[in-house]
Amino acid sequence: MFRQSSPPVPARRRHVGGPGRRILPGMAVVLCLGLGLAACSSSDDGGGGTAAPGLGAARGGGTLTVAVASKPLCLDPQNNSSNGNTAISRQLVSSLTDQDPATGKIVPWLASKFEVGASATEFTFTLRPGATFSDGAPVDAAAVRANFDTIVRLGAVDAVAASYLTSYQGTTVVDSHTAKVTFSRPNAQFLQATSTAALGLLSPASLALAPEERCQGRGLAGAGPFVLKEAVQGTEIRLTRRADYAWGSPVWKHQGAAYLDGIDYKVVPESGVRVGSLLSGQVDTVIGVDARDERRLAAGGATELSRPVPGITYNLTANTERPLLADASVRKALTKGIDRATIVRTLLSDHYRPATSILTSSTPAYTDLSADLAHDPAGARALLDAAGWRPGGDGIRTRDGVRLAPTLIYPGVDTASRNVLQLVQSQLREIGVDVQLSGLPLNQLAPDQDAGRYDLLWFGLTRADPDVLSTVFATTTKNRAHLPAGNPLDTLLAKQSETLDAAERAALVGQAQRQIVQEAYSLPVYEQAQSVAFAGRVQAVALDGSAQPAFFDAWLAN
Amino acid sequence: MTVRHLLLRLLHAVVTVWATFTLSFALLYLLPGDPVAIMLSGQGGVANTTPEQVRQLRAAYGFERPLPEQYADRLWAALHGDLGRSVGSGDTVVHTFATALPQTLALAGVGLALAVLLGVGTALAAVATRSRRLSRLLLSAPSLGVSFPQFVVGLVLLEVVSFRWKLLPAFGHTGGSGLVLPAITLAIPTASVIAQVFARSLADVLLSPYVATARAKGAGRARVLLLHATRNAALPLLSLLGLIIGSLLAGSVVVETVFSRDGFGRITAAAVEAQDIPVVQGAVVVSALVFAAVSLAVDLVTPLLDPRLAERPATGRGSRGWLRPQSA
């Protein structure tokens, strides 16, 4: 599913690329059948590659070929942390901390120890000895300072990374292996941020280069398990492993260097072609499989690993300043009118889940609010009746001569979303609401969403920290629901950003989710899934804390 | 062919490229929407950038200055071979296209060769065969060829030849084998156009008096067709060359996407979607350069093939004189 312009932030795109990619990827299969060729998706080596990672000992060597949807715009993870880029650039850097995908807990990585001051304004990292960047420079406190200083100085160029460092005051080099990062205001999300690729550390020499140079991979030196060997313009990125790598994350299954000699990323924009290439043995692994290609993948004997992307669900956020949706009972009726289970069952695949909160179930501090998101058309009609909206001759409700026809904006190029939204539209028509779908070109979407020219805004957003709610709903940031400053949600969001105690913060975040869902500031629809598929000889590919593919433990069987 | 004629044609080419540059500048810069905002939303950055940061970025790309100033600057830079930097990748536009064009040229070159072989072959066979049924079949094949969308042809070829038979790779630039399927896909519509035009023009030429003369002198069927008729019948094809090159470039957008090739088409498509203005403008300028170069080459070569034009060197409308009904 296409998230190119997910309004507020990134980047949970299933795939990105030229518009040509939109040319009916399912067409090949349909046509094959039409021509009388049996089972287009059949594969000679079906069933291979499904062995559990535990079977046999991992062996080193070999190059993994990975088909990705889009050419990475930028190989510098600090500069561009959209998912399409991170799938590659994540392998080039190590971070101060890591996030355990199973528990969401922050664990040591380059920092063997970290301490957060009681007010959440001071973070002290003790670096493990011996780690080096691929250009030979040591990973020391001065390098940490150089990284954060550069990100803040570059500002919008490193937009996502810089947003993690909001109210950054500076980094103190306590000694060569101790760095203290100070903020002028409490910043509880910063610890998780240090686990992301966006704050992955680069060598001081790379930081001195122009951002454009680093984007092209020239002189880009991180401390990751792989280094960039070659970027063949637009079609292929080759990485080789660092044989001296010895500072792996404790989340990984082994220590030392990676098993693979290298990783070859091939850019294959069409989902159908990626799947066909995997099943015909032309690639080992595929990142990004469209829901409509998943059955073919399973029939061909490939294994698909999938995880809900942490962050904000695909949702419809209401502009509460607009006359139609200022009334909470109308918003609540809309959320009751949406049948999320049917949407997922008919248009998506088993890997996707209906939304059960504004956050996805893989986000830390997610709270299950499925009871508030149940399909209840009768309840919806009752709410609208009580609010004075009466069905007109065409079944659409009106009040004082105004039709209940809210405008919904979404990226027009996102055909997969359009299908989902058309179903939402027909479901809401059942309760007498005539949603006006408006698929906007990208150049119009950005200004419209910033100016609030919508009743409902469609987007999803990736971040493995509940602070993502502040990004979207706090009145000091994007305020997509157009809430007044100082509203109860604002207070909750500000408080959680200052709270370090995990349980206490989770309670605040839980309240915030409840506010958003029960007041229907936003109508969550479904959880996006990130998936990686592999076949044949590939073993032990995993998804990390941000649901990005991790290849450190991967190996190739004979 | 006089020097004056040559200079005039060169001037035409230069004016064409300049006008295209200017028009594309006007259109692209007057489009609603802010390229920097789009760039940031693509990267997921919009959420937390301050207006000040956005302004700085706009200034860095030169989007803040008055329009005439931006235009003059960009034109001056373009004259020096600098088409700016991609907003998306940060790479220079010239470098972006310089690395991509060889792939597209190889693809288009092989595609063109295939198209000519296929198109000319079909037309010759249709005219030469004594079987009316075969002739009709061959003459209707081109209509079929142009009606199949290129991406359908490409996907069917992929599904059958690459995924099922595993004969050829589905993507990439791995030597010649990776070029076969995309070149075939690219060639089919072009071959159809060539076949249609060439068959029609062959039929016309075969009715002309000099062919009758040749026959009367005892030239055989094959000799008349291949030696006497083909040369004159090929002239309209040459004038189509600009169009053909254009359709190959346009086809590369679809073919390069389906076959995961990097090149002019893919870059252009991605840039249009991302509203990467410097790259889109680069694509327009490169296309204009290619068209101008091809028309110039056609103008220069035609008189060599058709001596009637060499004797009557003319500019502008006269140079298409051989397209007129032959009155002599």
Side-chain angles (χ1 to χ4, degrees):
Chain A
M1 195 145 301
F2 190 76
R3 292 176 70 109
Q4 173 124 14
S5 54
S6 305
V9 182
R12 190 194 289 180
R13 342 174 167 181
R14 295 280 291 186
H15 50 219
V16 213
R21 167 174 58 71
R22 295 270 129 233
I23 47 178
L24 309 182
M27 191 59 119
V29 181
V30 175
L31 274 168
C32 269
L33 294 174
L35 293 174
L37 303 173
C40 284
S41 59
S42 73
S43 166
D44 295 348
D45 42 31
T50 50
L55 289 179
R59 51 186 287 277
T63 298
L64 184 77
T65 324
V66 183
V68 293
S70 62
K71 155 178 160 179
L73 279 173
C74 179
L75 290 167
D76 174 359
Q78 295 182 356
N79 179 299
N80 190 317
S81 52
S82 61
N83 288 356
N85 294 310
T86 319
I88 298 169
S89 57
R90 169 82 272 189
Q91 325 296 331
L92 304 175
V93 292
S94 295
S95 300
L96 284 172
T97 64
D98 199 7
Q99 186 170 24
D100 189 330
T103 60
K105 270 187 70 161
I106 303 302
V107 296
W109 190 354
L110 284 175
S112 55
K113 218 176 80 185
F114 46 82
E115 276 169 24
V116 185
S119 57
T121 53
E122 275 182 19
F123 298 76
T124 309
F125 299 92
T126 308
L127 299 168
R128 66 193 292 165
T132 57
F133 294 105
S134 58
D135 60 3
V139 179
D140 57 13
V144 173
R145 183 176 63 188
N147 272 274
F148 294 159
D149 285 0
T150 307
I151 289 168
V152 171
R153 181 172 53 79
L154 290 177
V157 175
D158 288 355
V160 172
S163 77
Y164 295 162
L165 288 160
T166 309
S167 69
Y168 174 76
Q169 245 178 3
T171 302
T172 316
V173 178
V174 178
D175 57 47
S176 72
H177 58 273
T178 313
K180 190 167 86 180
V181 185
T182 319
F183 294 92
S184 59
R185 294 189 43 237
N187 194 356
Q189 59 82 32
F190 178 66
L191 190 61
Q192 187 275 339
T194 60
S195 77
T196 61
L199 294 188
L201 299 185
L202 298 176
S203 81
S206 341
L207 293 167
L209 296 172
E212 295 86 12
E213 294 288 306
R214 270 190 276 146
C215 265
Q216 302 303 307
R218 290 192 278 270
L220 182 75
F226 293 90
V227 290
L228 181 69
K229 181 176 161 205
E230 193 182 2
V232 184
Q233 168 100 12
T235 52
E236 207 171 330
I237 308 276
R238 296 203 186 96
L239 310 185
T240 47
R241 73 169 182 166
R242 265 186 83 178
D244 62 344
Y245 189 83
W247 41 91
S249 155
V251 170
W252 296 344
K253 292 196 190 73
H254 81 282
Q255 288 298 307
Y259 291 131
L260 298 168
D261 287 339
I263 308 174
D264 265 16
Y265 292 90
K266 313 245 185 200
V267 180
V268 181
E270 288 293 310
S271 168
V273 177
R274 286 196 295 281
V275 169
S277 303
L278 179 70
L279 297 178
S280 59
Q282 299 183 55
V283 297
D284 297 317
T285 302
V286 165
I287 298 175
V289 177
D290 280 3
R292 65 188 145 223
D293 290 318
E294 282 184 350
R295 197 168 299 160
R296 186 172 163 219
L297 202 62
T303 308
E304 191 179 5
L305 211 60
S306 183
R307 214 165 96 75
V309 178
I312 288 186
T313 53
Y314 262 114
N315 74 97
L316 292 164
T317 290
N319 181 346
T320 58
E321 274 175 0
R322 302 259 285 203
L324 286 182
L325 298 182
D327 182 356
S329 54
V330 173
R331 299 195 304 264
K332 289 175 189 169
L334 292 184
T335 211
K336 282 178 191 293
I338 299 174
D339 183 354
R340 296 164 177 85
T342 299
I343 290 169
V344 170
R345 199 178 56 243
T346 49
L347 293 177
L348 304 165
S349 76
D350 296 345
H351 293 302
Y352 298 76
R353 298 181 196 172
T356 47
S357 171
I358 180 68
L359 294 176
T360 70
S361 55
S362 59
T363 319
Y366 147 86
T367 306
D368 184 353
L369 300 171
S370 43
D372 295 305
L373 294 172
H375 183 216
D376 177 13
R381 287 189 197 99
L383 276 172
L384 291 172
D385 286 342
W389 292 95
R390 305 278 170 213
D394 57 354
I396 302 305
R397 290 167 189 269
T398 55
R399 190 176 70 180
D400 307 329
V402 180
R403 269 166 68 86
L404 189 46
T407 304
L408 186 166
I409 65 171
Y410 70 100
V413 284
D414 186 350
T415 49
S417 277
R418 186 172 59 215
N419 293 339
V420 170
L421 294 173
Q422 280 169 346
L423 188 48
V424 168
Q425 184 184 41
S426 77
Q427 288 175 351
L428 291 179
R429 200 166 282 147
E430 294 293 309
I431 61 166
V433 180
D434 185 20
V435 177
Q436 305 291 312
L437 294 187
S438 169
L440 299 177
L442 296 182
N443 58 4
Q444 208 185 325
L445 190 67
D448 272 17
Q449 69 203 12
D450 282 340
R453 282 190 289 270
Y454 55 84
D455 291 312
L456 295 164
L457 173 66
W458 173 250
F459 68 95
L461 179 53
T462 307
R463 173 84 200 270
D465 188 273
D467 193 61
V468 68
L469 291 175
S470 306
T471 309
V472 176
F473 295 103
T475 54
T476 47
T477 56
K478 284 295 155 180
N479 194 13
R480 293 298 190 208
H482 288 258
L483 298 168
N487 68 80
L489 178 61
D490 232 13
T491 319
L492 284 170
L493 292 175
K495 227 188 227 170
Q496 66 79 28
S497 76
E498 299 166 4
T499 307
L500 286 172
D501 181 79
E504 210 178 310
R505 186 168 178 226
L508 290 167
V509 170
Q511 285 181 50
Q513 291 170 71
R514 221 164 259 128
Q515 276 275 335
I516 293 166
V517 170
Q518 290 174 353
E519 285 301 310
Y521 295 141
S522 168
L523 327 174
V525 177
Y526 74 92
E527 295 185 355
Q528 173 71 342
Q530 166 71 286
S531 65
V532 51
F534 46 95
R537 54 193 188 142
V538 183
Q539 309 288 334
V541 169
L543 292 170
D544 74 8
S546 302
Q548 282 298 306
F551 297 116
F552 182 79
D553 290 315
W555 56 282
L556 300 171
N558 278 322
Chain B
M1 173 78 33
T2 62
V3 173
R4 184 174 161 274
H5 174 65
L6 189 67
L7 285 177
L8 216 61
R9 301 304 306 163
L10 263 175
L11 188 68
H12 274 190
V14 169
V15 169
T16 308
V17 175
W18 168 77
T20 319
F21 177 88
T22 306
L23 262 176
S24 69
F25 178 90
L27 284 175
L28 292 171
Y29 282 78
L30 294 179
L31 269 183
D34 173 2
V36 169
I38 291 157
M39 172 177 89
L40 290 172
S41 70
Q43 296 192 3
V46 159
N48 291 5
T49 45
T50 64
E52 177 57 18
Q53 286 170 332
V54 172
R55 204 196 54 73
Q56 280 172 6
L57 210 57
R58 288 177 54 81
Y61 278 98
F63 293 137
E64 292 272 84
R65 292 172 304 148
L67 211 64
E69 201 181 306
Q70 282 191 53
Y71 172 74
D73 247 34
R74 298 199 57 90
L75 185 61
W76 185 246
L79 286 174
H80 292 77
D82 173 12
L83 292 170
R85 273 180 185 276
S86 157
V87 175
S89 70
D91 197 7
T92 64
V93 172
V94 171
H95 182 256
T96 305
F97 283 110
T99 44
L101 267 180
Q103 320 284 358
T104 304
L105 287 182
L107 176 64
V110 177
L112 182 62
L114 273 177
V116 169
L117 275 178
L118 207 67
V120 169
T122 307
L124 277 176
V127 175
T129 181
R130 286 173 206 275
S131 151
R132 283 203 144 190
R133 193 174 291 176
L134 182 61
S135 174
R136 221 174 296 145
L137 191 75
L138 286 171
L139 286 176
S140 56
S143 326
L144 202 67
V146 283
S147 358
F148 265 116
Q150 255 171 335
F151 70 86
V152 173
V153 175
L155 286 174
V156 169
L157 282 176
L158 268 181
E159 198 63 52
V160 176
V161 181
S162 182
F163 298 157
R164 287 177 62 79
W165 298 344
K166 301 181 185 177
L167 289 179
L168 290 165
F171 55 82
H173 300 149
T174 38
S177 61
L179 206 55
V180 179
L181 294 182
I184 292 176
T185 311
L186 193 59
I188 286 177
T190 309
S192 307
V193 172
I194 291 178
Q196 278 173 329
V197 171
F198 192 54
R200 168 76 55 84
S201 116
L202 260 183
D204 286 351
V205 167
L206 286 174
L207 293 178
S208 60
Y210 82 90
V211 169
T213 312
R215 282 206 183 107
K217 281 179 152 183
R221 210 177 139 76
R223 190 181 163 82
V224 165
L225 191 63
L226 295 177
L227 226 63
H228 295 271
T230 301
R231 187 165 163 187
N232 276 341
L235 285 171
L237 278 187
L238 202 61
S239 69
L240 264 187
L241 200 61
L243 268 181
I244 290 174
I245 301 282
S247 79
L248 287 173
L249 275 185
S252 74
V253 173
V254 170
V255 171
E256 287 178 351
T257 301
V258 170
F259 290 95
S260 317
R261 296 179 64 83
D262 194 44
F264 177 82
R266 265 278 282 292
I267 289 176
T268 307
V272 167
E273 186 181 341
Q275 222 199 350
D276 193 337
I277 287 183
V279 178
V280 175
Q281 196 175 20
V284 174
V285 170
V286 168
S287 312
L289 275 172
V290 170
F291 275 112
V294 170
S295 335
L296 191 63
V298 168
D299 270 351
L300 297 182
V301 166
T302 315
L304 301 180
L305 295 182
D306 189 347
R308 286 168 296 178
L309 287 171
E311 288 159 14
R312 188 159 47 86
T315 58
R317 51 204 118 123
S319 62
R320 290 282 189 275
W322 46 264
L323 272 183
R324 291 187 195 143
Q326 296 180 355
S327 50

